[in-house]
């Protein structure tokens, strides 16, 4: 996974008010990952209110307010679609769901006396970031069912995250502290990217 893939996910959550923790800065290739290496990002929502409902499985931006704490696994296979066949033949997709990994993640979230919760695994949402699911039925429903059966609580697509970031980036600001946002800003400045809302208006 390249730094830009992780950077997109990090910026998406940070731009929506989350605190984000990255556990490692290196790539694992020649051996099996340890428990901590299966976790790409940990995110925490400081504005989450106790008693809120759980977020929906498709974690669009309007659902983020219901997300408290989450373990994020990023699978940036941008040229692929997560079909039922892909999910069945790629066990590495689900390694972040193993109990030892989740137990480790629970210990990384500090106790919050105000909320009355500590490092409780049941309160941690398991989120998979992926390129896309099939658009044709029954393959789409089958993919969702397989993901839920394996223990995935929510998914986010790169398309949804990028659309949100594009809308939030102001072409008149200099985002020199973020390579991801600065690239989006430059592309918008040269009219190579347009806000989703602007695009809808043009098509009407």
């Amino acid at each position: 996974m390249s730094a830009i893939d992780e950077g997109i996910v990090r910026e998406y959550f940070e731009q929506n008010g989350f605190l984000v923790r990255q556990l490692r800065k290196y790539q694992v290739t020649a051996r099996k990952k340890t428990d901590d290496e299966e976790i790409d990002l940990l995110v925490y929502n400081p504005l989450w209110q106790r008693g809120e409902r759980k977020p929906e499985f498709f974690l669009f931006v309007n659902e983020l307010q219901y997300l408290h704490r989450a373990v994020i696994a990023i699978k940036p296979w941008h040229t692929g679609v997560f079909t039922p066949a892909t999910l069945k033949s790629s066990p590495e997709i689900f390694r972040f769901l193993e109990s030892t990994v989740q137990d480790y993640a629970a210990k990384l979230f500090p106790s919050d006396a105000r909320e009355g919760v500590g490092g409780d695994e049941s309160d941690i949402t398991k989120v998979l970031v992926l390129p896309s699911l099939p658009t044709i039925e029954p393959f789409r429903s089958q993919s969702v069912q397989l993901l839920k059966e394996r223990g995935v609580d929510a998914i986010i697509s790169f398309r949804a995250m990028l659309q949100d970031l594009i809308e939030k980036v102001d072409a008149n600001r200099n985002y020199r502290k973020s390579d991801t946002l600065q690239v989006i800003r430059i592309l918008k400045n040269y009219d190579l990217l347009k806000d989703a809302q602007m695009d809808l208006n043009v098509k009407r």
Side-chain angles (χ1 to χ4, degrees):
M1 176 175 55
S2 68
I4 188 64
D5 298 314
E6 203 162 83
I8 291 169
V9 183
R10 171 185 282 277
E11 291 294 351
Y12 174 74
F13 278 100
E14 288 183 345
Q15 289 295 308
N16 284 288
F18 283 75
L19 302 177
V20 181
R21 180 178 177 184
Q22 181 184 37
L23 299 185
R24 56 185 168 82
K25 298 286 186 179
Y26 57 87
Q27 184 69 37
V28 179
T29 55
R31 59 173 173 79
K32 183 179 178 180
K33 292 181 180 179
T34 59
D35 290 342
D36 62 307
E37 291 168 341
E38 291 291 349
I39 301 169
D40 292 317
L41 296 174
L42 296 173
V43 301
Y44 173 81
N45 182 2
L47 297 180
W48 177 84
Q49 298 293 318
R50 194 174 186 184
E52 293 279 19
R53 65 170 174 82
K54 295 288 186 180
E56 297 291 340
F57 184 73
F58 291 96
L59 198 59
F60 294 109
V61 68
N62 60 327
E63 286 293 314
L64 292 180
Q65 62 181 310
Y66 305 113
L67 183 65
H68 183 201
R69 306 182 295 181
V71 175
I72 311 293
I74 305 168
K75 305 301 177 186
W77 305 350
H78 295 295
T79 57
V81 176
F82 277 45
T83 64
T86 301
L87 294 172
K88 290 177 181 178
S89 63
S90 305
E92 66 272 20
I93 294 172
F94 302 104
R95 287 193 184 125
F96 83 107
L97 300 170
E98 294 176 0
S99 59
T100 53
V101 177
Q102 293 302 313
D103 288 343
Y104 178 83
K107 296 175 183 177
L108 298 176
F109 287 102
S111 176
D112 192 326
R114 178 179 59 84
E115 294 168 358
V117 293
D120 180 8
E121 181 186 336
S122 64
D123 183 56
I124 299 174
T125 305
K126 298 175 281 292
V127 179
L128 181 64
V129 176
L130 41 70
S132 63
L133 292 179
T135 57
I136 300 174
E137 295 292 359
F139 305 109
R140 182 177 179 83
S141 296
Q142 289 172 355
S143 292
V144 170
Q145 182 179 354
L146 281 168
L147 289 166
K148 289 181 176 180
E149 287 175 352
R150 293 299 299 269
V152 176
D153 296 319
I155 62 171
I156 313 174
S157 71
F158 274 94
R159 181 181 181 86
M161 289 186 297
L162 286 168
Q163 285 179 330
D164 185 62
L165 288 175
I166 290 169
E167 290 179 5
K168 283 184 167 66
V169 166
D170 184 347
N172 296 315
R173 289 187 176 180
N174 190 339
Y175 296 91
R176 60 183 178 181
K177 293 186 177 182
S178 169
D179 290 342
T180 301
L181 299 183
Q182 186 73 339
V183 168
I184 292 174
R185 176 236 178 180
I186 291 170
L187 291 173
K188 289 183 75 170
N189 190 57
Y190 288 101
D191 293 325
L192 296 174
L193 282 179
K194 296 186 183 296
D195 293 339
Q197 189 62 46
M198 290 174 61
D199 190 46
L200 287 172
N201 291 335
V202 170
K203 291 179 180 178
R204 287 176 181 171

